[in-house]
Amino acid sequence: MPKIARELSAIEIRRLSTAGTYAVGGVKGLLLRVTPSGTKSWVLRYVTGEIRTSKAGLEFYARRDHGLGSFPSVSLAQARQRTQEAFEAIRQGIDPVEMNRQKRADLRRSQRKLMTFAQAAQYCHAKVSAEAKNVKHAQQWINTLKQHAFPHIGSLPVDEVTTQHVVELLEPIWTLKPETASRVRQRVESTLTWATVSGYREGDNPARLKNNLDQLLPRTSKIRKVTHHKALPWRQVPLFLATLRKREGMGARALELVILTACRSGEVRGAAWPEIDLQSRLWRIPADRMKSGKEHQIPLSTAAVSLLKSIPRQEDSDLLFPSTGARKISDMTLTAVLRRMKVDATVHGFRSSFKDWCRNCTKYPDEVSELQLAHVNNDATRAAYARDELLPQRTRLMQQWCQFLNSKQQSAKVVPIAGFNTEH
């Protein structure tokens, strides 16, 4: 056992400011550690029964340092009392450091029992919200769990969730709502992953799909019924656009820009003048407004430039198409235009019309139109090929699309759309 040093008083303890480790006396092995920043903590240094060998070949008993708390939160008298209690445990064969580790492990186990799946999901949702592109997506993330997962496992301790629990909550929607079921499964998996790395559960993730749920649930690719957005046949788009241009209103002009650029409705509705460079004939959509999370450059055809020059700028908003309160117009504003024109198509469907025209009327590689549509590219080879965004090719493509749209030509074989209103 270490020798008992000269006993320091509480006043002397307070005056110690130089970084180092000091023996305070009163009891064997009690030390005060002072850091360079001036913080102080109590340490008990004691000899264990473990025998080690020095580089010189001499055997010695290993020593350990056991923390007793910080000063002044733990007073000098309390530190001496804890030291005596620790030595009493050592005499009984109990190692204070190992005892503390066991207490921390017991605490973690008890905390795991207290953390429910619903609570874990809320913590995970906080992280998702910080990374989400908008509030709506973040809210959808937790709402799907509240609706489909919480009724089954919300109150269950997160470390007790099993594969069978996950199967039971997914089965009612797996075949009826496969897309929703897929999202629920992914969000349950994310929640359980968070719980694992946070120390609230251990082992494999029971919501994992590969070599797990895929052995218990049918493949969604075999049961999923894909519903495409209704689209106008590409040969009919020029006549539709000619009719649309006769209509007044912000919704009609926004829909016209959707057709001319093949952009998504949300990208057009949120378009702002600082994004538009009419001189370079480029529209740069920032990453936070793109589905892919990456900045997207749109080459502007002559028709698109003419349209943009005709749109009056608002003094109280940078938006191209502001609604009341200087907010962007709603998606229904564009849909209402189609309904009034009695066209059985969706706004998003014009992107499909554009894609069909590309395949039927141009010889550009598929990558060119895919980049124009800002589809997420998961193929490494194609992604490398498109590293420069193929802007020159897309510029020519969009100008050809413009020329086609202005041609007002229809194939004689095209069957007119029922109820299509060509009047102003």
Side-chain angles (χ1 to χ4, degrees):
M1 292 289 179
K3 296 179 180 179
I4 300 178
R6 183 181 70 84
E7 187 172 346
L8 301 181
S9 66
I11 295 177
E12 290 176 308
I13 295 294
R14 289 185 180 276
R15 289 176 179 172
L16 291 174
S17 59
T18 304
T21 302
Y22 302 88
V24 299
V27 289
K28 297 177 182 179
L30 180 59
L31 307 173
L32 182 72
R33 186 168 290 159
V34 183
T35 66
S37 63
T39 60
K40 302 173 182 178
S41 59
W42 300 107
V43 176
L44 166 62
R45 181 165 294 169
Y46 61 96
V47 177
T48 70
E50 179 185 356
I51 299 177
R52 297 180 181 175
T53 304
S54 67
K55 292 182 180 180
L58 300 176
E59 292 184 345
F60 65 94
Y61 286 105
R63 294 189 301 178
R64 266 186 172 174
D65 286 353
H66 171 49
L68 300 174
S70 61
F71 177 84
S73 297
V74 176
S75 67
L76 174 59
Q78 289 173 324
R80 286 171 173 158
Q81 176 63 32
R82 292 183 182 185
T83 299
Q84 292 173 347
E85 292 171 354
F87 276 125
E88 179 60 32
I90 292 171
R91 280 191 287 271
Q92 297 177 17
I94 302 172
D95 189 314
V97 172
E98 294 299 329
M99 182 171 62
N100 272 8
R101 287 176 180 170
Q102 186 59 46
K103 287 181 179 178
R104 287 195 294 270
D106 292 342
L107 178 61
R108 284 194 296 270
R109 280 192 290 270
S110 64
Q111 287 175 334
R112 287 201 293 268
K113 292 293 182 183
L114 295 175
M115 175 70 74
T116 65
F117 177 85
Q119 291 171 328
Q122 294 290 353
Y123 281 111
C124 188
H125 176 240
K127 174 183 177 295
V128 170
S129 298
E131 299 172 350
K133 288 185 286 188
N134 56 57
V135 176
K136 180 181 177 181
H137 288 168
Q139 195 59 42
Q140 286 174 340
W141 193 97
I142 193 66
N143 285 346
T144 54
L145 291 180
K146 287 180 178 179
Q147 182 178 357
H148 300 290
F150 285 10
H152 295 270
I153 60 174
S155 60
L156 196 67
V158 72
D159 69 327
E160 294 182 11
V161 178
T162 66
T163 300
Q164 188 57 37
H165 289 129
V166 179
V167 169
E168 289 174 359
L169 73 89
L170 289 176
E171 277 183 332
I173 58 174
W174 192 254
T175 56
L176 294 177
K177 301 177 180 179
E179 192 64 36
T180 299
S182 177
R183 290 173 181 169
V184 171
R185 186 205 64 77
Q186 292 171 3
R187 290 161 189 175
V188 170
E189 182 180 19
S190 295
T191 298
L192 296 177
T193 297
W194 177 90
T196 299
V197 299
S198 300
Y200 294 107
R201 63 171 288 122
E202 297 175 350
D204 292 339
N205 194 317
R208 187 183 74 254
L209 183 62
K210 189 175 182 181
N211 297 325
N212 186 44
L213 294 178
D214 59 358
Q215 305 300 311
L216 302 172
L217 295 167
R219 291 169 58 185
T220 53
S221 60
K222 298 296 183 182
I223 60 174
R224 181 176 295 140
K225 297 179 180 179
V226 179
T227 303
H228 296 287
H229 293 278
K230 290 184 178 179
L232 202 62
W234 62 269
R235 290 185 178 88
Q236 296 179 1
V237 178
L239 179 59
F240 170 81
L241 183 60
T243 308
L244 177 68
R245 283 170 171 165
K246 297 177 184 179
R247 288 183 169 267
E248 297 180 354
M250 200 172 293
R253 299 292 72 78
L255 181 56
E256 184 178 349
L257 188 59
V258 166
I259 296 171
L260 290 172
T261 60
C263 285
R264 297 179 177 90
S265 168
E267 294 159 8
V268 169
R269 291 184 292 108
W273 287 111
E275 301 171 3
I276 308 294
D277 186 344
L278 291 176
Q279 185 174 358
S280 300
R281 293 172 56 162
L282 273 179
W283 173 19
R284 295 181 177 88
I285 308 177
D288 60 357
R289 290 210 308 107
M290 291 301 300
K291 184 177 181 180
S292 64
K294 297 179 180 179
E295 182 186 272
H296 186 47
Q297 295 189 87
I298 302 292
L300 299 171
S301 64
T302 53
V305 170
S306 297
L307 170 62
L308 290 168
K309 287 182 177 179
S310 71
I311 298 173
R313 300 197 183 195
Q314 305 292 327
E315 293 183 358
D316 59 345
S317 176
D318 282 335
L319 292 172
L320 272 66
F321 308 106
S323 66
T324 55
R327 293 178 294 183
K328 67 180 182 181
I329 57 177
S330 70
D331 193 38
M332 279 304 300
T333 304
L334 279 68
T335 301
V337 175
L338 293 173
R339 290 179 178 175
R340 285 194 293 269
M341 295 178 71
K342 299 180 180 179
V343 176
D344 188 22
T346 64
V347 176
H348 196 86
F350 284 101
R351 285 164 57 83
S352 178
S353 302
F354 167 75
K355 183 69 179 181
D356 290 343
W357 170 82
C358 291
R359 288 170 172 161
N360 284 278
C361 300
T362 75
K363 295 182 179 180
Y364 289 98
D366 192 54
E367 286 83 356
V368 180
S369 56
E370 286 295 284
L371 273 169
Q372 182 63 26
L373 293 167
H375 283 161
V376 177
N377 196 341
N378 292 321
D379 187 275
T381 302
R382 292 173 65 186
Y385 177 72
R387 192 172 297 155
D388 65 349
E389 296 189 356
L390 302 180
L391 196 56
Q393 295 94 318
R394 289 197 290 124
T395 301
R396 294 192 294 271
L397 173 66
M398 297 314 292
Q399 188 57 36
Q400 291 178 27
W401 173 241
C402 165
Q403 293 168 356
F404 166 73
L405 293 174
N406 289 336
S407 68
K408 300 183 183 179
Q409 295 175 358
Q410 270 192 300
S411 168
K413 297 181 180 179
V414 175
V415 178
I417 304 172
F420 184 73
N421 181 9
T422 58
E423 299 298 326
H424 177 62

